[in-house]
Amino acid sequence: MDRIDAALTSRVVVERRRKWLSLLLETGNEKVTAAYQKYDQFHKANVAATNKGNAATMPKSGAIGPVRPVSTKELSAMSNVEIVAYLEGYKEEDIGLPILEGRGLADTLSEYVTANPQRFTDNLLPFQDVRNLYQSALLQGFLTAWRDKKEFNWAALLKFIYHILSLEQFWIAQHEEGFNYRNWVLSATADLISEGTKDDTHAFDAQLLPLAEEILLILVDKTQQSVSTLDNLRTDILNSDRGRVFSAVMDYALRFARTNESEYVDCRWPYTVRADFTKRLDRSVEPSLEFSYTLGFHLPYLSYLDEEWVRLNINLIFPQQDEDHWQAAFSGYLLYPRVREEFYLLLKAHGHYRKALSTHFTDTEVLEGLVKHICTGWIEDSETLDDKTSLIYQLIHSGNPNLLAGMVYFFARRADSLSDKVKVKVIPAWRALFEVLFQHSDEAKYQEVLSPLSQWIGLIDEIDDEVLAWIKVSINYLEKIPGYALTLSNVIKALQKHVLITPEEVGKIYLEIPESELWFLEQTQKNEVEETVRTLYKKGHNATAEEICERFAKSGVLFLRSVREEYQR
C-alpha cells in the first residue's frame, strides 16, 4: 500500500507537506513524526526518480512512478502554445496506475515555470483549458518562483486565475476518483495570494488587491471542507484546502489594512470580507472546523482589523454551545505564540478558560498553551492562589495530572531566564502544587508529576527546610517517569549552585537519590558529582560526604573513591 501511496503523491504536495511537518517535529508529537517520515519517504523516492534523468522513457509493465516524458530544456525550445499542445496530446501507455498519467510531466512543467516565470505570464491564455493537473503545476511553479524572490507579472497571473475560476466548465468537470486536481488549483491559488500579500517588502502591487479579493471570495464560496475531527487538528487544517483559503483571506485583509492605514482607523479590513466573516459566524452557514480554527488562531489580527467586531462577536467566534467548533477555535487561540492580556481578560470574563480547564484536548501543545495562559495571568497578577474562583487555583485543583505537569514544565523551562516577577511566584506555586500532588502520591499519574517537580530546585536561591522536604519526596519518584534521566541531570546541575550556600541540605538530597540511578551519574555527570562532594569536604561536612561516598561504593559505583581518599589523608 505504501508504494501506491507514494505513486499517488505528487512532488508538489510531498515537498509542501514535508516542509510544514518538519517545522513541527520539535513538538515531539507522535502523529507529526509519523506523517513526516511518510512524506520523507515520498521525497526520497522522488529524488531517486529525478536522478535517473528526464529522458522520455516509459515504465516497464506494472511499474509504479511518475514518467518524465520531456526535460525542462526541451520545454524551453517550445512556445507556450506548443507546450499546451504537447500537454493536451500527451498520453501514457501501460502505466500500471492510469491516475498517474501526466504527473511526471506536470512536475517538469512546474520546475520550468519556477525557472522562467515571466516567460509564462507573457502569454497565459493557452493554459486556460488544460487539465487542472497542469494548471495546478503552473501555479505551483509561480509560487516557488515568488518564494525564490523572482519577479513576474502578477496582474496577468491574477487575471488568468480569475478567468479560470469564472468558467462554468471548471466547476462541473468530473475528476478521477480520489484525485480532484481542481482542489489543487484552489489551494495553489490561496497559497499564491497569501505569499503575495503577507510580506510588504515582497508583495504584489496594492492596486491588484481588489482582484485578489474577488478571487478569494470565490475560493471561500467554492472550496470544500476536509477536516471533520478534532484529532490532529492543527496539522490537518494546515494541510487542508479550506484552511489555506481562510489563512490567505487573513493575509490579504492585513495587507489591505496596512496599505490603507490613513483611510481606515477603527475598521481596517475590507467591508466585503467583514460581511462574509460575520455571516459565517453562524455555523449552519459555515460548518467547517477550518473557519473556527482560523478565527481562534488569528484573534489578535482580527482585533487589529476590527476590535469592536471581535468584542461584539466573542461568543460567536468561540461558540460554547457547539463543542467541536468551540474546541477548534479555542485550540487555535491557545496555539498563538503570545499571551495577550486584553484577550485573556475578555475570554476569562466570558467563561472560556473555565470551560477549557474541563475540556479534553487531544493536542498536548494546546494543553501547554492553556497552562501558559493561566500561569502568565497569575504572574501578571490577574489571578490569585488563595481565591478558589481564580483560574490558577482551579488549574492546580483540576484533578488533571496533564495540566499539573504542564505547570511544572512552564516554570522549569524558565530556569535560565527567570525574571523577578516569575521568581517570587515559584515558592507559592511549588507549595500549592506539592500539597495537591502529595495527597495523591500513591497514584502513578501523580508520581509522574511529583518527580519532575524536583527540577524547580534550580529556580530558587536557597534551600530551606520546607523546600528540602519537598525535594526529598519528589526525588524518590524519579524511576516512576519516562525520561527521568533529564530530570535527574537538571537536579544535579542545580545542586552545584546550592552546595556553596546550603551544603548540608544538598548532601541530604544526594542521599535520597535512588540507588539504582547512581550508575547513571557515573556515566553522565561524574564531574558534577565529584565537585559537589569535594565542596562538602571543604566546607567541613565530612560525615555527609563520607556517607555519600559509601552509598555510591555499596552500589558498585566507585568513581568517588579517589575524592574520598584525597580528604582522608
Side-chain angles (χ1 to χ4, degrees):
M1 187 65 187
D2 287 342
R3 294 180 66 212
I4 295 176
D5 284 346
L8 298 181
T9 305
S10 80
R11 184 184 306 274
V12 170
V13 174
V14 165
E15 294 307 322
R16 180 169 58 223
R17 294 185 178 179
R18 178 174 172 269
K19 180 178 180 181
W20 286 339
L21 290 166
S22 70
L23 299 176
L24 303 174
L25 282 176
E26 64 181 23
T27 65
N29 185 287
E30 293 180 359
K31 292 182 179 179
V32 170
T33 302
Y36 174 79
Q37 290 173 346
K38 175 182 177 182
Y39 284 105
D40 191 50
Q41 290 176 352
F42 294 161
H43 162 75
K44 291 174 181 176
N46 282 334
V47 170
T50 301
N51 290 338
K52 292 180 180 179
N54 291 333
T57 57
M58 299 298 294
K60 296 179 181 180
S61 178
I64 296 177
V67 176
R68 294 277 191 147
V70 66
S71 67
T72 55
K73 183 176 180 180
E74 289 170 312
L75 285 181
S76 69
M78 304 179 194
S79 66
N80 286 7
V81 172
E82 289 171 331
I83 290 174
V84 168
Y86 185 87
L87 298 176
E88 293 178 334
Y90 177 67
K91 299 292 182 184
E92 291 178 19
E93 298 177 0
D94 195 21
I95 191 173
L97 288 172
I99 200 171
L100 283 178
E101 183 174 326
R103 297 285 288 274
L105 178 56
D107 289 345
T108 303
L109 173 64
S110 182
E111 291 170 8
Y112 185 49
V113 174
T114 295
N116 305 274
Q118 185 60 51
R119 173 244 164 98
F120 283 87
T121 51
D122 285 344
N123 184 18
L124 284 166
L125 183 61
F127 293 92
Q128 68 180 23
D129 295 320
V130 299
R131 284 178 64 190
N132 292 158
L133 169 63
Y134 299 132
Q135 290 174 339
S136 68
L138 188 78
L139 299 182
Q140 187 64 39
F142 284 117
L143 178 62
T144 306
W146 190 250
R147 287 171 174 166
D148 291 343
K149 307 300 182 183
K150 294 181 180 178
E151 298 293 332
F152 50 81
N153 187 339
W154 269 96
L157 178 58
L158 292 176
K159 289 175 183 176
F160 169 73
I161 292 172
Y162 181 76
H163 180 74
I164 288 176
L165 300 182
S166 300
L167 294 174
E168 183 180 1
Q169 181 60 30
F170 178 82
W171 300 105
I172 64 175
Q174 298 298 310
H175 292 269
E176 300 92 337
E177 183 179 355
F179 272 90
N180 187 336
Y181 294 123
R182 176 175 57 226
N183 290 344
W184 294 17
V185 174
L186 304 182
S187 59
T189 297
D191 291 346
L192 264 167
I193 294 177
S194 183
E195 288 292 331
T197 54
K198 67 182 181 181
D199 181 358
D200 288 346
T201 65
H202 187 57
F204 58 71
D205 194 311
Q207 293 183 2
L208 297 174
L209 288 175
L211 179 55
E213 179 182 303
E214 290 188 58
I215 292 171
L216 286 171
L217 290 175
I218 294 174
L219 295 183
V220 168
D221 186 52
K222 296 287 190 178
T223 308
Q224 298 176 343
Q225 67 183 83
S226 59
V227 178
S228 57
T229 70
L230 296 169
D231 296 334
N232 209 28
L233 186 65
R234 174 178 41 176
T235 302
D236 287 348
I237 287 178
L238 186 65
N239 287 316
S240 76
D241 299 328
R242 194 157 185 78
R244 283 147 68 185
V245 167
F246 282 123
S247 181
V249 173
M250 288 302 306
D251 285 329
Y252 155 75
L254 290 167
R255 169 73 172 153
F256 177 92
R258 293 191 300 270
T259 57
N260 295 278
E261 282 185 324
S262 60
E263 184 176 349
Y264 300 93
V265 179
D266 296 326
C267 179
R268 298 182 175 93
W269 53 345
Y271 292 116
T272 49
V273 175
R274 182 182 192 270
D276 188 76
F277 269 45
T278 303
K279 173 184 69 177
R280 295 180 191 281
L281 289 174
D282 181 347
R283 297 316 198 273
S284 65
V285 174
E286 178 54 64
S288 76
L289 294 177
E290 291 95 325
F291 179 67
S292 294
Y293 182 92
T294 298
L295 293 175
F297 185 79
H298 290 94
L299 188 68
Y301 301 122
L302 287 168
S303 182
Y304 161 74
L305 294 172
D306 194 337
E307 182 179 354
E308 182 183 14
W309 186 87
V310 168
R311 289 189 172 275
L312 288 175
N313 294 294
I314 194 67
N315 289 325
L316 295 176
I317 294 171
F318 302 97
Q320 294 194 49
Q321 74 283 0
D322 189 326
E323 184 64 26
D324 283 358
H325 283 280
W326 181 87
Q327 273 205 45
F330 211 71
S331 294
Y333 165 69
L334 291 174
L335 288 171
Y336 184 76
R338 290 180 54 206
V339 182
R340 297 270 294 273
E341 183 179 17
E342 64 268 34
F343 303 125
Y344 179 80
L345 295 176
L346 176 63
L347 289 164
K348 175 185 174 181
H350 287 275
H352 294 284
Y353 283 104
R354 191 182 305 276
K355 175 177 171 59
L357 284 170
S358 61
T359 297
H360 175 67
F361 294 104
T362 57
D363 189 333
T364 56
E365 284 206 31
V366 172
L367 277 177
E368 289 174 6
L370 176 59
V371 172
K372 176 182 177 181
H373 280 229
I374 294 175
C375 287
T376 301
W378 179 46
I379 289 168
E380 297 299 328
D381 299 322
S382 296
E383 307 291 338
T384 55
L385 272 176
D386 55 358
D387 179 3
K388 292 185 178 181
T389 66
S390 74
L391 292 175
I392 189 69
Y393 182 93
Q394 292 178 14
L395 187 158
I396 293 172
H397 294 84
S398 64
N400 185 339
N402 292 328
L403 290 175
L404 301 182
M407 188 171 177
V408 170
Y409 289 113
F410 172 83
F411 282 94
R413 289 191 187 104
R414 285 153 179 78
D416 296 329
S417 58
L418 210 62
S419 68
D420 292 339
K421 206 165 191 178
V422 176
K423 189 176 292 188
V424 298
K425 300 287 186 176
V426 172
I427 292 296
W430 200 341
R431 183 180 296 113
L433 269 176
F434 183 82
E435 288 175 358
V436 168
L437 293 170
F438 188 67
Q439 290 174 10
H440 302 277
S441 57
D442 57 336
E443 299 179 47
K445 60 184 180 180
Y446 287 94
Q447 294 172 0
E448 291 178 1
V449 184
L450 260 173
S451 177
L453 184 58
S454 59
Q455 295 177 90
W456 282 21
I457 193 70
L459 304 178
I460 61 174
D461 295 327
E462 186 174 352
I463 303 175
D464 60 18
D465 290 342
E466 186 178 31
V467 170
L468 178 60
W470 298 338
I471 288 288
K472 289 172 71 174
V473 170
S474 292
I475 209 164
N476 272 291
Y477 293 105
L478 272 174
E479 299 170 294
K480 304 293 184 181
I481 63 166
Y484 69 87
L486 179 60
T487 293
L488 180 55
S489 176
N490 289 337
V491 169
I492 294 299
K493 288 178 182 177
L495 290 177
Q496 281 188 280
K497 173 186 74 173
H498 287 291
V499 74
L500 298 172
I501 304 169
T502 52
E504 186 65 23
E505 285 74 10
V506 169
K508 290 178 180 178
I509 292 171
Y510 259 77
L511 293 173
E512 294 295 330
I513 298 173
E515 290 186 5
S516 60
E517 304 313 316
L518 299 182
W519 67 271
F520 169 78
L521 295 180
E522 180 181 30
Q523 301 300 316
T524 61
Q525 289 176 286
K526 178 180 176 182
N527 293 338
E528 288 94 333
V529 174
E530 287 179 337
E531 183 179 337
T532 298
V533 173
R534 279 195 178 93
T535 302
L536 286 170
Y537 276 117
K538 289 176 182 178
K539 287 185 170 290
H541 297 276
N542 293 36
T544 303
E546 287 283 319
E547 192 174 353
I548 292 172
C549 292
E550 185 67 23
R551 194 161 182 267
F552 271 79
K554 285 183 177 179
S555 299
V557 182
L558 306 177
F559 72 92
L560 287 175
R561 178 183 297 171
S562 60
V563 178
R564 188 179 191 184
E565 291 174 350
E566 180 182 342
Y567 286 91
Q568 285 180 336
R569 295 169 187 169

